Every structure is written in structure tokens, then in C-alpha cells.
Amino acid sequence: MSGPNTDYDPVEVTPLKAEEVERMRDEAVAAIAAAADLEQLKQVRLDHAGDRSPLALANREIGALPPQARKEAGARVGQARGAVTKALGERTSVLEDEHEQRMLVEERVDVTLPTKRRRAGARHPITTFSERLSDVFLAMGWEVAEGPWVEAEWLNFDALNMGPDHPARTMQDTFWLEPADAALVLRTHTSPVQARTMLSQQPPIYVVCPGRVYRTDEVDATHSPVFHQIEGLVVDEGITMAHLKGTLDHMTTALFGEGITTRFRPSYFPFTEPSAEMDMVCFVCRGVDSDACRTCRGEGWIELGGCGVVNPRVLTACGIDPEVYSGIAFGFGIDRMLMFRHNVTDLRDVFEGDVRFASAFGTEI
Amino acid sequence: MKAPLSWIREYVDLPADVTLSALTDRLTMLGLKLEAVTNPADAVTGPLVVGRVLTLEKEPQKNGKTINWCTVDVGDANGTGEPQGIVCGAHNFVEGDLVVVCLPGAVLPGDFEISARKTYGHLSAGMICSAAELGLGTDHDGIIVLPADAGAPGDDAFDVLGMDDPVIEFEINPDRAYALSLRGIAREAALGFDLPFTDPAARDTPAANADGHPVVVDDAAGCPVFVARSVSGFDPTATTPGWMATRLEQAGMRPVSLAVDVTNYVMLELGRPIHGYDREKLSGAVRVRRAAAGEKLTTLDGVVRTLSAEDLVVTDDSGIIGLGGVMGGETTEISETTTSILVEAAHWDAVSMFRTGKRHRLTSEAGKRNERGVDPEITEAAADRVVELLVELGGATADAGVTVVGTPPARVSITIPVDLPARISGIDISAETTLAHLRAVGCEVAIDGDTLTAVAPSWRPDLTDPYDLVEEVVRIVGYDQVPSVLPPAPAGRGRSEAQRLRRRVGTTLAGAGLVETISYPFVGDADWDRLGLAEGDERRTALRVVNPLNNEEPFLATTLLPGLLKALARNVGRGTTDVALFETSLVFEPTGAKAPLLGVDRRPSDEEWASIEKAVPRQPMHLAIALTGHAEDAGWWGAGRLASWSDAIGTVRALADELGVELTVTATTREPWHPGRCAELRIGERVIGHAGELHPKVCKAYAVPARTAVAEIDLDALLEHATTVVTGPEFSSFPVAKEDVALVVDADVPAAAVEAALREGAGELLESIALFDVFTGEQVGEGKKSLAYALRFRAPDRTLKEGEASAAREAAVAMAAERTGAVQR
Ligand SMILES: [Zn+2]
């Protein structure tokens, strides 16, 4: 390296010659273009743009020039270094793109591999279907009432106009609890919840009572000693059978679609008078060409359950004045409706706890 | 109740345009629900004709049987007019008899097609039919031999046999006992089509006199009316005529003997049960009284019955001869030598009949009618009808004596507002319609301004209340006339807090991968033993069912684990080895109190209601979970992870977090958990449940895999503490400072205690603490463990200064050292 040219000698410095600078620049640009990957480019950067690269060294020699020559040499070297930096930048960008392209290809995975590491849980379809049913009534402003499963005999029978000698009391085969005179039963229907509701509040009453009930049925494909009912109760001024029909029509329409309405047939229940059996239009065949329909077995109608006008004797026993108020009530089996709505053929599936059953329904129904 | 259409037609002249389905539809809409229609004619396709046996040759066969090779004149029915050759195996007929022949091409019940076929060396072109082969009863004794005047060869046998007589089976509701008779069903048919009705009970009967068999009724409440008639000179060999036997069979009753069949026939006809006694076996007056407790009677079914003081009995000088209204006794039973018959037509108290039937587990056609209510005003007519038939069919003479004791109860009169049927049904029903329909069902109706008073007919003991009249009017107007109107419910509040929380529990657990189950609540001693419950364990104190389905499982569950473990075992047994279950269900805690049976004429008093509430057992809702197999599956990503005790505890903890409840977990021992792997779960001081690994013995007892993990909590208790209104959080946006610390403590120091000390020592700047490693081994020392925690510090309002976080960490460590003997590694 030359010392500072302080005596203004017109010294000739070889590396700063124009052709020399051009050569260094061209070599650098060529090397940059030749770098095949980012690793090579790193070395090229050191060789041609680093502190010890020819152009960097040439730059240091500028001080050795006479002052009037420095400016020109400085500009020459500066332009050359600028060209190198630009070439480096462009090449880096190209090689980075290439690198990324390669990476993206190399990182390809088989997206068809199985991804399920944890099994999904599920709520029981009886639970979700009870909620779904309740939703229809909640949307009308009704509320959901509940009660205990072991119930006082008086609430399960007497308060509902089923006295000790009422034939209906033998129609339902009841689980009685010890001691035999404890007057406690596993509730045979959700009706005691209606009685409890009436005993705890005055009208207007608009409630549904979904829940578990018990009868001494042996287990088979359509019977179970444990099953589920939903009952509805309205007690208000001026309530009529028309309100019962309107409510049930709305429910079946909400659950099964437009046109799926109900019909009444006279029947008998101690807690209602007049009493009716209710049927709904078969939601599969819609009552048209029913003969081949397996859902309604050719009837065009599906039996739902019982309903009627609350017997004034029940209102009296529950402390509601039948001269002022009238009521309507209905009830049907949740399990049974679940079965025909979802084509479940064996009631045992509901109670055996096989996860494949509930899992099929998920968390809503 | 099965009713032959031909019998209905005897009392109501149904026009031709009333088809069978129109009739059954109308009756169903009136409350007599169609169960089924059976018509023998529907099961047989002709040609089925009358034939006369011209020749009959008996031909013994090698197999020991003898067959008859017959030629039968079937008129022109076979198209040729030539006699038909038929092989027949029956022997109850001779040449010249009129028989029923089905010709080739006919199809008999069971899709049995008749064709000409070679048999026993002849070409047999058809079949001579028995009643059973035509689906007309079960008599297999031989072929049908028609009366000589039944018809001519070639006549259609469907008509001759009366085969085209549909039998309609109705489901009769308990309140419509009158429809357990042809009289009642025909009356409804007449009502339904507005036709005249011929009442078979409307007959002139002889007046009571002093010459009849002496009868004394000691209990007029139990037996308000007792009518006795008698016949003499009855021919015990007389047989039941075919038409009567057919009708009894059509109605589902078995013909027995003429005398018995006549009483049954009249019961079907009028709905009034009748009892016949062999009068020669009676000694002295017939008496009705309540039994003395402990008295005995052998009933007609051969059972010796010990009577209760509530049972009504019929006696004579020899003692008890029958259980009144329910079943007769053996000593006075009509036999094959009876020639003198006493006919009893008595009206019995329905409640007493019901209780006696239930007490003695006796169900009979008579009992069924007597306990539901029979027309009390037709006792004399029914007895007279029986006498008439015994005279007509049994060659008997009616005795002149007629005994009538007592009078029928007064008819019920009901007063209602005239517009009540319209008001309750929501149908526009005029006063005229209401009056007309009440009269049509047999009420005598008087109107007084806006009210009417209806006197119920004697055959309708079910009509007692105002709304009973509403139902009568509305069923005739038609339930299909009820309009569809939504009731005007007031605005509601949606689900209750508890209901919403329970839904949240279900969704949370399902989201965590658990599947909900529903189990039966029935458990037995074996379950307590399988769970390893000690003798005094409170869970062994359970409600017991008087009449369990399975005597091995008489108790109601006090814990959900037996049901859940059985479901788990079932899943594993069916090949599902990775199972996570949950169940929410009530459990039952006995109170020992007895529930009162209150009146129903008013609301219970507050004290009465309190006594009911006290007697109804406490039934808290429990949540139980059971886990086995993989919590996370193995796969191409790695080995997966098996569910363990920590998942059972973790699931409940996560649920508590979801509900905003702070749960305290401490080690404990409790059956059925592994003694070293059982957590007690508390809210404050209240224990709400337990979680951990199942005891290995319990796993074996329930046949569930080893290491099965379970938890059971009082869900009500958890939900009581749930945060229902969350306060919106405030959080700092200043930088977090992270500090790790590793502490060595004695192996039996609970991690929870160390964490609690760190939290307290760290002070307010501590944002979170996480245990990220538990380590034991030589480096830590015998009986020691190392716990590594990640602490995060942050101030709500500023960036922490240099050294602030490490100072807080030091304070935390100091507190842990003080409380738990922890030493920083
Ligand atoms: Zn259908």
C-alpha cells in the first residue's frame, strides 16, 4: 500500500486506473452471476465486496493520489462498487427465490394422512333431543319444569285424579319403594312435575316437563323399564282444546316440517277430560301412498301420545280454581319419537352405553 | 272387545252405503278405537261350494289309515256338472250329507292353494273342508256337515257358512264400560250415523213375586240389586247351537256348555255378567254379605282363596258359594247333570269388585265388566233373557218365581253452563247442538236459562262431572272440528340457570372427548361388593324397590359408578378399547320418611305439603366419568397417550375451570379408587367428589381394563358455585418477564402445596405459574423430587424494572422453602 501523497507528486497508482477498476468490477459481477447458490454467493461477497476485496483495497489507494485526481478515482471506484452491490442484491434475491422454491418442493407432505388424534365426544341423543323439543316451547315463551324421579305416590297418582281404586293405577306397572307403606314410587310419568308446578305457582302456567320415567317393563327392542317423556301443561284463563291443537301442530311442524300437523282421536286419561290420542301426519310419506311406508306402517299417521283438557279435579287438588282457569296437557315418549325420527330400530341402544350410538349424533340433534 | 258385524246389525240397521271402514272410522272418532278387523272370508278365495256326497268308499291304506274315496255332486260349479272325485281323510260323514267343497283354484288360509292332484291312487279334484281349514275356529274333529236344508249342491258356501262376517275388535277405554257389550257398540253405531237403535235390553219382564228363590242381601252398598230367576227341566245333554257357538268364538270366548254359554252370550249381548247355580246343590236362602277375614272359598278355577273382610261373598246354608260378581264356587257349579238352574243377575259395587279382583289377582270377563261399571237397571232384563234362552235352547221350563232384592242406584244429574262444551273445546257449538248430542247419548236434559241439567243414562256410570258432558258433546261434533290456535303465552325467561349450566357441562365434556351414556339405576349388593365398599359405607344405604325386575338388583343407585363401569365393560367387550364415558343422573338417598296420601278435594295445606317434601328422598344429580385406553391415539405421528388417573382429575378440573369454580385437590383414600391414586375434590371445605385410578380389584370385578380411571362428583354442588355472570377481565399490555425455578422437596410434599407457597410468596406481580417438569432420581437424592416451574410476571400499568421479576421469584422461593422445605436446585 502507498502512503498518503502529500507532496502532490503526480504518482501513478495502478489499481485506480480506469481499466483496472473496470476489470475488478467485471470480475466481481461475473463471479456473482456464477454463484450457484446462497453459500457460493456468500464467498463471492467476501471475495469481491468484502473488506479485503480488490475494489475495497483499490478504494484505500485513493488517498495516495494527488488531490485533483482523487475525485475522479473516487467516483470510478464508487460506481464500480455500486454495480457490484447491485449485482449482489439481485443475485441474492434470485437465489433466495430459488432456495425457497426448492424448500417448498422438499417440504411437501402427504395431506391425506389421517389427522384424528383424539376421538370426538358426544352428548346422548336423548339429552339433545329433549333440549331440541324444549327449544320449540321455550321459543313460544314456555319454561322447562323438572322434578324428582322417586316421587310421592300422591303426586304420581292421586293428585292426577288416579285414586287408589282407579283402574288406571293398575294399567301402569309401577315400581314401588320399600317399605311398602312408604307411598313412594319411581315416577311412572312426568305428570307429577305438572302437579308440582301447579302447586308452586298460580296461572298463567306454560311449562314443558321432559324427563326420565320408570315402569316395570322387561327390556326388549321397544320396551325398557326406564324411558323418557315430555309433557306440556298450560293453565290460564280461556284455554281450550283449540290451543292444544295449535300447540301440537306448531311442535310437529317445527320438528318435522311444514304440513306435518296433528289429529285427535277420543281417548281416556284420568287427568284429562276430554281426552284424546294425538297422531301426526307421517313425515316420510306425508300420508300419500302410505301402503309401502315403513315409518307409519301404511297408516299415513304416526301415533304420538295422549293429551286433553286438564281434568278440573286435578286443578282442584293442586289449588287452582277450575271456575276461573282451564288447562290443557299433553305427553309423549321422547325415546319413541327419537326412534322414528332417526330410524333407530332397537330401544336397547339408548340405554346400553355403546359409544357408537351416541357418537353418531354428536352434540346437537 | 270383539264384535261381529252381523251382531251389531241386529240392533242397528246400517244402510248399505255405510261400509265397514266408514263404520270403524266413525266409531274410532267416537272413542271406540279400532284395533283390528278379521273376516274369515278375506282369507279364503273360492270356488267354495256346497256339495252332496254321492258315493263314499272306504279304502284302507298300507300306512294304517283309511281314506274315503268320494264322488261329490257340486252342481255346475265345476263347469261340467259331473260329480267331483275327492279323497277325504275325515270320517264324520256319510253318503247323502251336504258338505263344503273347495274346488281346484281355491286358496285357503295360509296361502294353501287347492289343485287336482294324484293321491292314494286317485285323482283328487278338490277338498272337503273342515271349519279349521277355512279359518272358522279350531274344531279339528272332522269336516263340516251342513244341515240338510242348508242349500243345494253348487251353492256358494261363503253365504251358507256366513263366512263374510267381519269381526271388529275395539280397544275399549276404561270409562266406556258400556261398550263392552254389543248393546253398547250398536248404540254408538246408531249414534254415529243418526239411526234408530233397537235396545236388546228393552223387554217386558215378569214382576217380582214371593215365589222366587229366597235371597237376602246384608250389604246393600256392595250389592244394590240382586235378581234371581230359575228354570227347571233343563236338558243337560242339549248342545249349544252353532250360531251361538260361532258368536262366542267370534267374540273370543270358548264355548263350554249350553248353560254356561247362554250366560256368556247374554253378557256379551247386554254387558251384564250373569251367574248360574245348580239349584239342586243350593241349600236354603242365597245371601250376600262381606266375608269374615280368613274365610276360605274354592273358586271355579280350583284355587282355594283366603278371603278378606272387604270381599263380597254369596252364601247359602252350606257356607260361602261364590265370590260375588267375580267368580263362583265349585260346590254349586253347573255340571253335565244339572237340570235346575238358578240365574243370578246382580249389580255389584264397582270399587269393591276392583279391589277383590286385584286382591285375588282374578281377571275374568265378568270381573272386567263389574269393576268398570254395568248398567244397574237391566238386571231383570238380563235374567229374563237368560231364562228365555235356557227355555228355548235347553228345553227348560221357566219357574214362576221372580226374586228382586234392592233398587238400582239413582241416576246422576249434572248441571253445566250451556256453552261449556263450546268454551272448553274452542269449537263453535250451538246450544241446540249441545242439547241434541247429550240427548243422543241418552241423557235426559232440562234447560234453565244459561245452564242445563243432564241426567245421565243408567248405562253411563262414567258420566259424573261437567267435563264428562263436554267430552260427550265434543266427540259427537268431532275432534276433527277442533281449530288450531296457539295459546297466548306470556313472555318467558328461557332455560333456568341450572338447566343452562347442565347443558354447558354436557357440551364441555363432549368437547373434551367424552361420550354421554344413560344407565339403569338398578343395583344390588353385588355392586357394593364389586366396588369394595365397607360394611358401613353410606353408599350401601339405598332405597329398595318392592318389585324389582331383577331380584339381584333391588336397590336404586347411590353412585353412578356401577352403571358406568358396566357400560365401559360392554364397550370394551364389543371391541371398542379406547373409551371415555360420562353420565349425569340423579342418585337416591333414603329418608326413611313415609309420604302421606292426601285428599284431592283441595290443595294440600302447607304442613301437608311439607310432609310430602320431607318424605321424597333427596336426589342430587351426580356426574361420573370413566376412562380407559388411549386419551390420544397412537398413529403415524407417534405413540399416543393412555388415559390415566390424571385425566380423570383433569377432566373434572377443566370442567370446574369452565364453570369458574375453584377446585381444591388433595390426596385421599376412598373405595373404589386406588389408595395411592385417589384425589378428593373440594370447593372450600365441602367435598364434592373424588377422582383417580380405579382399584385393581374393582377393575377385575367389573371386567374393565386395568388402570381404568374414574371420577364421581355431586354435580349440583359444583353448579351451585358456578360463576354465572363473568366479570370482564382487565389485562396488561406491558411486557411479560419470565423466570424459571427448580425446587427440590421431599417426595411426599404435594405439588399443590409448593405451588400455593410460590404463589403467595411471588406476590401481585405473578401472572401465572406452570409446573413443567417433575423429576426424581440420583441427582435429586433419595426420597426427594424436583419440581420445575415457569413463572410469568407482569405489572398492570408499567414495564417491570430490571431485577423486579427476579426479586419476586426469590420471594416465591423463600416462601416455598419456609412452607415446604423446598431447596432451589
Ligand atoms: Zn308413512
Side-chain angles (χ1 to χ4, degrees), chain A residues 282-287 290 293-302:
Chain A
C282 175
F283 63 100
V284 176
C285 66
R286 305 182 76 87
S290 305
C293 181
R294 285 187 300 176
T295 302
C296 63
R297 293 192 183 82
E299 297 288 325
W301 294 88
I302 298 172

Side-chain angles (χ1 to χ4, degrees), chain A residues 114 119 146 165 199 313 352, chain B residues 355 465 502 603 630 633:
Chain A
R119 287 163 306 282
E146 294 163 307
D165 294 314
L199 283 159
R313 288 172 185 251
E352 284 190 342
Chain B
R355 289 184 182 167
D465 288 16
R502 285 203 301 271
R603 185 186 202 284
H630 283 91
D633 288 350

